[in-house]
Amino acid sequence: MPLPLVHSQPANARAWVREQATSGHRVALVPTMGALHEGHLELVRRARHLADCVVVTIFVNPTQFAPHEDFQRYPRTFEQDLRLLAAEQVDMVFAPASQEMYGERFSTYVTPPAVAQPLEGQFRPDHFRGVCTVVLKLFNILPAHVAVFGQKDYQQARVIADMALDLDVPIALEIVPTVRQPDGLALSSRNRYLSADERGRALGLAAALQHAAQQHAQGQRDAAQLEAGMQAILRDAGVDRIDYAAVVDPVTLQPFTQPISDAGPATEPVAVALIAAHVGRTRLIDNRLLLRP
Ligand code: AMP
């Protein structure tokens, strides 16, 4: 199978996207950090459904990692990624070198929206500044019609949506549900770090979220109770450290000050349960929407 066209220079990638748009093609963008798995490929398939041309970006963005985090050891599997994307008939891959994205005098950053402050914002203080900056750069380099993101990174999707709204980004956003392994573990590039024992303990995240959804379906409307239940399951599963296990407003990600409501449109979630926890040296995140009964 022929490998997809790869551009590493922003100017060339932009010219290619512009040419597609000028020829009347709808272009969909799928930003990734590579080390691709079935979750990423599901985004690509949604993109293919939404547009005539699919562009995937592969860039491990240094500005979204703190100095003590896993930027250096983050898995890089470029050749295999290209083969997977060829099988999905991706039209172009944008894979810039770091210097192409961050020139020597680079000094401009996006201040993230309010929804970036809680949860991840408390544990990874500059993370969303790096995410917003690189995503806005990608939106500017690749002026697509639609960009596709995963619900796996729920807060990230909310942050990008608010940034796009606040800064008048003319690109529609599409969110794809989390792809999981049969036992519930959410696919993640970081799952490669897990030993067999750690992988077993990592199942605590999905189990805790499942428990919260079940408790909510059975009538529990007290977010603190749902959170306590998740904490107990995570501890029983043997995760090493819990950063947060929270049930919050699905739009603002702020804590509930009242019982979770049953009011509102049937299609909208009433709450979202989110977890970040460490298993061994690996930090994992997962989430689940709580729906109206
Ligand atoms: P990453 O390469 O981890 O930056 O992820 C790139 C995109 O893939 C993001 O929009 C993620 O939310 C999405 N993604 C990652 N894992 C999954 C998954 N298991 N299911 C669906 N989307 C995912």
Side-chain angles (χ1 to χ4, degrees):
M1 185 140 3
L3 294 179
L5 171 69
V6 178
H7 278 302
S8 58
Q9 306 283 333
N12 295 343
R14 183 187 288 116
W16 186 91
V17 170
R18 285 214 176 121
E19 210 175 287
Q20 299 303 318
T22 310
S23 320
H25 294 141
R26 274 180 67 79
V27 180
L29 171 65
V30 183
T32 82
M33 299 203 297
L36 300 181
H37 51 65
E38 231 358 80
H40 297 114
L41 299 182
E42 211 41 47
L43 268 50
V44 168
R45 290 172 200 134
R46 177 70 68 87
R48 165 68 57 218
H49 183 76
L50 292 169
D52 311 296
C53 282
V54 177
V55 179
V56 174
T57 72
I58 297 180
F59 181 60
V60 185
N61 173 38
T63 65
Q64 71 190 66
F65 290 81
H68 65 278
E69 291 180 348
D70 58 345
F71 174 71
Q72 292 299 344
R73 72 173 183 132
Y74 196 84
R76 289 160 170 90
T77 58
F78 189 63
E79 298 305 319
Q80 193 197 332
D81 291 348
L82 286 188
R83 285 194 291 274
L84 290 171
L85 296 178
E88 299 297 332
Q89 286 156 12
V90 163
D91 299 281
M92 194 266 277
V93 173
F94 177 55
S98 210
Q99 314 83 273
E100 297 292 346
M101 295 294 276
Y102 299 108
E104 240 172 70
R105 296 186 51 254
F106 182 90
S107 63
T108 306
Y109 291 88
V110 176
T111 300
V115 72
Q117 298 268 345
L119 306 171
E120 290 296 286
Q122 296 298 303
F123 290 90
R124 304 183 73 189
D126 287 332
H127 173 66
F128 284 128
R129 179 177 95 136
V131 168
C132 284
T133 303
V134 80
V135 169
L136 189 63
K137 283 171 69 68
L138 292 172
F139 285 167
N140 285 328
I141 294 166
L142 306 160
H145 297 90
V146 58
V148 184
F149 294 90
Q151 192 199 308
K152 163 73 169 42
D153 297 273
Y154 186 88
Q155 189 173 10
Q156 170 175 282
R158 285 291 313 114
V159 165
I160 291 168
D162 280 4
M163 173 186 77
L165 186 69
D166 290 351
L167 300 184
D168 304 290
V169 172
I171 300 178
L173 303 181
E174 181 80 8
I175 309 301
V176 172
T178 303
V179 178
R180 299 175 182 280
Q181 297 202 309
D183 58 11
L185 185 70
L187 295 186
S188 163
S189 303
R190 290 190 168 96
N191 291 352
R192 291 164 201 253
Y193 301 149
L194 300 172
S195 68
D197 167 70
E198 289 169 344
R199 194 193 173 287
R201 292 188 281 134
L203 289 174
L205 279 80
L209 294 167
Q210 164 77 9
H211 179 77
Q214 236 162 30
Q215 293 292 106
H216 176 259
Q218 287 168 12
Q220 181 56 265
R221 296 291 179 269
D222 181 343
Q225 289 295 324
L226 295 172
E227 291 172 351
M230 292 200 293
Q231 301 260 359
I233 290 189
L234 288 167
R235 276 193 302 271
D236 284 354
V239 309
D240 293 301
R241 191 163 91 241
I242 303 168
D243 279 355
Y244 56 80
V247 174
V248 295
D249 181 279
V251 177
T252 63
L253 303 189
Q254 289 300 316
F256 287 103
T257 51
Q258 310 226 319
I260 300 168
S261 163
D262 288 342
T267 49
E268 296 298 316
V270 287
V272 60
L274 304 108
I275 295 174
H278 298 255
V279 180
R281 289 172 66 203
T282 307
R283 184 177 186 275
L284 298 169
I285 59 171
D286 198 356
N287 68 83
R288 186 159 168 157
L289 297 171
L290 303 187
L291 305 172
R292 226 167 299 280

